[in-house]
């Protein structure tokens, strides 16, 4: 079974949590297997499911270790579970088995399904003066507020940024900055194509084969469109079609773009001049690339606007009262400015705590390496994603599958998005009653 198929099944399970009759929102569920080490004996154990591996996973581990050594009442055990989709699948499966973590990283398009099905603990009752709405970046915190209650707290939040190869830009005679509009980016294609890399002409931009629908959400806004208005689908209308047509032309008419399994791998390898990807990959990209990495705002066109994304941390409602109270102590620890700032310096993710921006180490990092300040500055253009992608189960798959047809087959965006719209309308109908009851 492929990861994508497994992710689909997991999210399908999440969509039916409340309807299967197997769970009570008030029941206490067991934790995943594990034990408190002797050095932390007699503490309340909190299980934290994370989606961060590699360097970001090591940083999460250091934060957890710091927390465990900072107090004597709570022991947090972080358990890596794979991708965002993997975490969602495993949380859903755990709830079915009446065993679940106490807190988990949930992505921008998975936490809503658990909220709709009463699997998340409302957090307002755990907030204090030092841990609550006023300490977080309002845009990011507000995305988790529904019906006056907070259902997650921001942690590894991101926006796309535009990465560019400064060395290759210099060879092409281009300015040392990101293009300001998509039209300008397209006009730079011939200059970049004169540069040879890997035995062929350099191409301008790589598009993601899978999950490119997140970046494309912002591109649609930039061309004046939307995926949906509420759950009313709009991807087959002019703005979205124009965004898809721009990308089709770059690939199939200009020959300056292409679909990649991993745009950032190609970018770090010097195979493509630019990539539109998460700020959460900034530190990794800069460490892997053997050239000077530039970062800038994602281009605008008729409008600005970029999608927020990444992971927040939700508390599972079926944890015991004692474990939920202990988990809140850890969430408050992550919300300390110095810890939020340190996480940003290690990963490139946005500082989700306002005072983290005043941290001396983060300020020095941005002064020394301005790339780390790009996403913070660009946050002024950030918007919460359209509801169909957030609340419609597997709507992201429907959208990026459509994009693949444009990228690989030169399919007409108008025709592709007409078909995608019919699928999204069916997806929206599946969740409309819950959405109108629990969101509006």
């Amino acid at each position: 079974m492929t990861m994508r198929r497994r992710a689909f099944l997991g999210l399908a399970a999440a969509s039916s949590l409340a309807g299967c009759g197997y769970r009570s929102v008030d029941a206490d569920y067991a934790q995943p297997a594990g034990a408190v080490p002797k050095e932390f004996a007699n503490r309340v154990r909190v299980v934290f499911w994370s989606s961060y591996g590699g360097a970001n996973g090591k940083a999460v581990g250091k934060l957890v270790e710091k927390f465990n050594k900072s107090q004597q009442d709570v022991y947090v055990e972080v358990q890596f579970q794979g991708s965002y989709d993997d975490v969602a699948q495993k949380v859903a499966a755990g709830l079915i088995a009446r065993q679940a973590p106490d807190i988990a990283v949930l992505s921008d398009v998975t936490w809503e399904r658990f909220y709709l099905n009463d699997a998340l603990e409302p957090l307002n009752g755990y907030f204090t003066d030092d841990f609550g709405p006023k300490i977080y970046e309002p845009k990011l915190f507000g995305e988790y507020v529904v019906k006056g209650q907070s259902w997650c707290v921001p942690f590894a939040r991101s926006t796309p940024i535009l990465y560019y190869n400064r060395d290759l830009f210099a060879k092409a005679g281009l300015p040392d900055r990101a293009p300001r509009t998509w039209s300008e980016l397209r006009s730079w294609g011939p200059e970049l194509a004169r540069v040879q890399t890997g035995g062929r002409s350099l191409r301008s931009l790589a598009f993601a084969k899978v999950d490119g629908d997140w970046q494309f959400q912002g591109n649609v806004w930039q061309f004046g469109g939307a995926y949906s208005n509420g759950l009313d689908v709009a991807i087959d209308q002019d703005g979205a079609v124009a965004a898809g047509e721009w990308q089709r032309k770059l690939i199939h008419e200009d020959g300056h773009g292409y679909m990649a399994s991993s745009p950032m791998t190609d970018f770090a390898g010097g195979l493509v001049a630019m990539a539109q990807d998460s700020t959460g990959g900034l530190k990794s990209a800069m460490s892997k690339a053997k050239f000077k990495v530039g970062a800038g705002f994602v281009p605008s066109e008729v409008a600005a606007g970029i999608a927020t994304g990444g992971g927040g941390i939700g508390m599972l409602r079926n944890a015991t009262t004692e474990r939920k109270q202990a988990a809140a102590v850890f969430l408050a620890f992550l919300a300390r400015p110095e810890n939020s700032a340190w996480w940003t310096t290690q990963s490139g993710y946005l500082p989700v705590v306002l005072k983290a921006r005043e941290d001396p180490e983060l300020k020095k990092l941005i002064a020394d390496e301005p790339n780390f300040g790009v996403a913070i500055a660009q946050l002024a253009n950030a918007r919460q994603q359209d509801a169909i992608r957030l609340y419609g189960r597997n709507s992201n798959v429907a959208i990026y599958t459509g994009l693949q047809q444009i990228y690989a087959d030169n399919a007409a965006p108008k025709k592709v998005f007409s078909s995608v719209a019919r699928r999204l309308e069916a997806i929206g109908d599946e969740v409309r009653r819950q959405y109108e009851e629990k969101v509006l």
Side-chain angles (χ1 to χ4, degrees):
M1 188 180 293
T2 66
M3 184 196 71
R4 289 291 152 193
R5 175 62 175 162
R6 288 187 284 110
F8 177 90
L9 293 176
L11 296 181
S15 75
S16 57
L17 294 178
C20 293
Y22 73 88
R23 71 181 287 270
S24 165
V25 295
D26 299 317
D28 292 341
Y29 288 0
Q31 293 174 311
V36 177
K38 290 182 179 179
E39 64 179 302
F40 301 116
N42 301 317
R43 298 190 185 193
V44 179
R45 177 176 177 252
V46 170
V47 176
F48 173 31
W49 277 6
S50 168
S51 58
Y52 304 106
N56 288 349
K58 291 178 181 178
V60 169
K62 288 182 179 179
L63 282 170
V64 169
E65 181 182 15
K66 180 181 177 182
F67 170 76
N68 287 336
K69 292 180 178 179
S70 72
Q71 43 74 52
Q72 298 180 339
D73 300 313
V74 182
Y75 171 73
V76 171
E77 180 179 324
V78 61
Q79 297 179 350
F80 172 65
Q81 299 296 323
S83 70
Y84 286 137
D85 285 349
D86 290 333
V87 173
Q89 174 212 3
K90 292 176 183 179
V91 170
L95 290 171
I96 292 172
R98 306 178 79 86
Q99 181 186 76
D102 304 301
I103 51 177
V105 171
L106 300 173
S107 81
D108 53 316
V109 293
T110 58
W111 75 266
E112 295 90 349
R113 292 56 174 301
F114 293 102
Y115 160 70
L116 288 179
N117 291 288
D118 300 318
L120 296 180
E121 174 80 357
L123 297 175
N124 290 32
Y126 300 94
F127 290 149
T128 65
D129 289 343
D130 297 323
F131 170 51
K134 67 181 182 181
I135 71 145
Y136 287 103
E137 156 53 49
K139 280 188 177 181
L140 301 177
F141 182 86
E143 291 184 2
Y144 301 111
V145 177
V146 184
K147 297 286 190 179
Q149 287 280 356
S150 298
W151 301 96
C152 290
V153 289
F155 175 59
R157 296 305 311 275
S158 61
T159 66
I161 57 177
L162 194 79
Y163 294 87
Y164 67 96
N165 185 319
R166 297 175 64 191
D167 293 354
L168 293 178
F169 267 42
K171 285 185 179 181
L174 295 173
D176 185 9
R177 62 170 176 83
R180 296 189 176 96
T181 66
W182 291 109
S183 293
E184 184 175 47
L185 187 153
R186 190 180 179 200
S187 74
W188 288 357
E191 284 80 5
L192 290 168
R194 294 189 187 101
V195 177
Q196 294 292 306
T197 179
R200 62 172 177 79
S201 295
L202 177 67
R203 283 184 280 187
S204 301
L205 187 65
F207 298 97
K209 180 178 181 180
V210 174
D211 292 336
D213 58 296
W214 175 55
Q215 294 94 326
F216 192 65
Q217 168 72 96
N219 303 156
V220 167
W221 293 333
Q222 292 145 18
F223 280 83
Y227 281 164
S228 70
N229 300 299
L231 292 182
D232 297 331
V233 175
I235 196 171
D236 56 345
Q237 297 176 19
D238 290 348
V241 172
E245 182 64 14
W246 184 93
Q247 296 187 353
R248 186 198 67 78
K249 287 179 178 178
L250 190 77
I251 295 172
H252 296 288
E253 293 187 9
D254 301 350
H256 296 154
Y258 68 102
M259 181 173 70
S261 296
S262 174
M264 287 304 289
T265 297
D266 287 6
F267 174 76
L271 300 179
V272 66
M274 289 172 277
Q276 180 188 193
D277 213 286
S278 170
T279 184
L282 177 59
K283 186 165 186 177
S284 175
M286 292 179 66
S287 65
K288 291 178 180 177
K290 296 180 180 179
F291 53 84
K292 294 179 181 178
V293 174
F297 284 18
V298 174
S300 60
E301 191 63 18
V302 302
I306 43 114
T308 56
I313 301 178
M315 186 184 297
L316 277 298
R317 190 166 180 170
N318 292 107
T320 65
T321 298
E322 182 182 48
R323 286 170 11 218
K324 286 187 283 194
Q325 291 172 342
V329 175
F330 175 62
L331 296 180
F333 171 85
L334 294 179
R336 293 179 186 174
E338 66 273 19
N339 294 330
S340 177
W342 184 84
W343 170 242
T344 295
T345 66
Q346 299 304 300
S347 64
Y349 281 108
L350 288 161
V352 299
V353 174
L354 290 171
K355 287 187 178 179
R357 300 184 188 184
E358 302 170 12
D359 181 84
E361 290 188 15
L362 179 55
K363 290 177 73 172
K364 183 178 185 303
L365 176 65
I366 293 172
D368 293 342
E369 182 44 78
N371 285 345
F372 282 89
V374 169
I376 298 172
Q378 190 186 223
L379 196 56
N381 295 336
R383 294 169 51 182
Q384 187 173 17
Q385 297 173 55
D386 294 333
I388 191 63
R389 186 173 187 272
L390 296 179
Y391 288 94
R393 177 172 58 88
N394 291 318
S395 60
N396 59 324
V397 178
I399 296 167
Y400 75 65
T401 300
L403 290 172
Q404 289 172 357
Q405 296 174 43
I406 297 170
Y407 299 161
D409 302 332
N410 197 19
K414 180 68 175 178
K415 182 177 180 180
V416 169
F417 290 155
S418 178
S419 177
V420 171
R422 304 294 81 78
R423 175 61 185 141
L424 294 182
E425 286 167 356
I427 289 171
D429 288 343
E430 291 174 359
V431 76
R432 190 174 297 274
R433 180 189 60 80
Q434 285 181 303
Y435 178 79
E436 292 177 348
E437 175 187 333
K438 296 187 175 183
V439 179
L440 298 183

